[in-house]
Amino acid sequence: MHPVLRSLSYLEAGVNPYVYDYSKLKFSTWQKIKIALGTVTLLPVRLIILFVMLLLAWVVVQIITIGLKSNTDIYVGWRRRLCWILIAFSRATLLCFGYWHIEVKGQRAPREEAPILAVPLHSSWIDFLTTAVIDGRLIPIALHRKENEKIPFFGTFTTATQQIYVSRSDAQSRMLALETIKERALDDRCPHLVIFCEGWCTNQKALVPFRKGSFSPGCSVQPVLFRYSSDVDITTWAWNGLHPGKSIYLNLCRLVNHLKIEYFSVYRPSKAERNDPMLFANNVQKHLSKKLGIPITKYTLADVQAMMGDSYYSVPVGKGMREFIKLEDKLRFVCDMLLVSSKCRGAEEDGGIDI
């Protein structure tokens, strides 16, 4: 593991949610035998089934979008009813990956009560399949990175189901996505919105900073948690973790995997929280931290990447960054940590910089 990533154990009391050390992924002899057997039995059959379903789903998507003037038009009538077929395909896909039974704890609130389902601890590519089947009648609208639009089949599927795209590096795209979230959260014709409120995949060991998108409409939200369990962790997809291709292969080779969806009580914002999305987000994060019994970190993935850059310039790791995070809390502004890091590299030995 990179020395800077290890250094975060000091900064965050032993917790670095952005790292999944897949080198520690060890299989017993019996597990290796099961994978080998699954490779020659389950894998070919499941791949054929997946290929057929993808083709059928593509046909359904083409029918749904016939004559559609704009992808922003909310589906009604026969288009909405056809979406049920896509939900069935998504559930069948989960079956191919070994998720025969989905355990549900709690109850999903009606859209009228909580139009937004806020998902913390986003940890796997499987989350997107789970999102598609979470309602059972309608495919919820989720926020996707712009790059997903270009993925074969998957991009066609997400576009046809009216998912929201955002480019993290484009301020105008982020603003447009924020406005779209507000519009659809307040439109009763829309299905639930499912927002991964952290915006990154983590190893679920800590809650990383919540983004304000889920909370900008100022309406009630219901936190939802996706949990995957097996004798070996083959689903976690953190920043420098298990390659998704290997994760897909291992899931296809296993006969049975386990998935649990847990609904928490609806969080209704106060007047102050409705007027301040970041306050709303932070309070929901603290609420979930107590519920789940896991810590909160203020470091984002960009912070970790900046710290990696610091190490190459012999800058005290995270020294300036910790001070800027304190300033963010006191002065209520957001600074570019990569820029802070570059300034820190030119700092004196005591870590002081000019701004």
Side-chain angles (χ1 to χ4, degrees), residues 147-159:
E147 293 84 349
N148 289 351
E149 190 178 13
K150 299 179 181 179
I151 299 176
F153 289 107
F154 182 77
T156 305
F157 179 87
T158 53
T159 300

Side-chain angles (χ1 to χ4, degrees), residues 116-129:
I116 294 178
L117 302 176
V119 183
L121 301 177
H122 177 28
S123 67
S124 176
W125 53 271
I126 307 175
D127 287 348
F128 297 113
L129 286 171

Side-chain angles (χ1 to χ4, degrees), residues 12-275:
E12 295 296 338
V15 177
N16 182 2
Y18 297 105
V19 174
Y20 174 58
D21 189 3
Y22 61 91
S23 64
K24 296 180 181 179
L25 187 64
K26 305 297 182 182
F27 295 97
S28 66
T29 302
W30 174 234
Q31 288 169 340
K32 290 178 181 178
I33 292 174
K34 289 194 292 184
I35 292 173
L37 290 173
T39 301
V40 297
T41 56
L42 295 174
L43 182 62
V45 175
R46 287 176 169 178
L47 285 176
I48 292 172
I49 294 173
L50 285 173
F51 180 73
V52 172
M53 286 195 302
L54 282 174
L55 288 179
L56 293 175
W58 184 84
V59 172
V60 174
V61 163
Q62 300 307 311
I63 295 173
I64 289 176
T65 54
I66 287 176
L68 196 65
K69 296 179 180 179
S70 172
N71 188 50
T72 59
D73 295 337
I74 305 302
Y75 290 160
V76 294
W78 64 271
R79 296 184 197 274
R80 174 167 287 194
R81 286 190 290 271
L82 277 180
C83 284
W84 183 88
I85 300 177
L86 297 179
I87 296 175
F89 283 144
S90 298
R91 183 65 185 96
T93 301
L94 282 172
L95 288 174
C96 286
F97 286 113
Y99 295 95
W100 299 93
H101 172 68
I102 299 178
E103 180 185 353
V104 179
K105 182 179 179 180
Q107 188 173 3
R108 187 182 69 254
R111 192 196 186 285
E112 297 75 22
E113 185 179 350
I116 294 178
L117 302 176
V119 183
L121 301 177
H122 177 28
S123 67
S124 176
W125 53 271
I126 307 175
D127 287 348
F128 297 113
L129 286 171
T130 306
T131 297
V133 303
I134 201 172
D135 188 295
R137 298 177 299 106
L138 300 172
I139 296 180
I141 296 172
L143 190 66
H144 292 259
R145 59 176 190 163
K146 186 68 175 176
E147 293 84 349
N148 289 351
E149 190 178 13
K150 299 179 181 179
I151 299 176
F153 289 107
F154 182 77
T156 305
F157 179 87
T158 53
T159 300
T161 53
Q162 301 188 300
Q163 307 300 298
I164 303 171
Y165 293 114
V166 61
S167 174
R168 292 167 176 161
S169 59
D170 187 341
Q172 186 175 358
S173 175
R174 295 196 301 269
M175 184 63 66
L176 180 60
L178 197 62
E179 291 302 318
T180 305
I181 290 173
K182 291 179 181 178
E183 290 174 5
R184 298 195 180 182
L186 300 176
D187 190 336
D188 293 335
R189 299 174 301 164
C190 287
H192 275 98
L193 270 73
V194 178
I195 308 293
F196 297 99
C197 37
E198 293 161 302
W200 301 102
C201 281
T202 69
N203 58 24
Q204 296 196 337
K205 292 183 179 179
L207 289 167
V208 302
F210 280 17
R211 295 171 181 263
K212 66 180 182 180
S214 308
F215 311 93
S216 58
C219 54
S220 299
V221 301
Q222 183 177 27
V224 185
L225 186 63
F226 302 153
R227 297 181 185 270
Y228 307 93
S229 60
S230 60
D231 49 359
V232 179
D233 184 2
I234 56 173
T235 58
T236 299
W237 184 22
W239 166 43
N240 69 335
L242 189 66
H243 190 278
K246 187 175 183 179
S247 177
I248 290 171
Y249 163 72
L250 291 172
N251 274 274
L252 287 172
C253 292
R254 288 178 60 90
L255 180 61
V256 179
N257 290 305
H258 303 281
L259 167 60
K260 179 180 179 180
I261 300 176
E262 185 174 356
Y263 294 97
F264 295 91
S265 57
V266 175
Y267 189 102
R268 296 175 175 83
S270 64
K271 183 178 179 180
E273 289 171 331
R274 287 195 297 271
N275 294 329

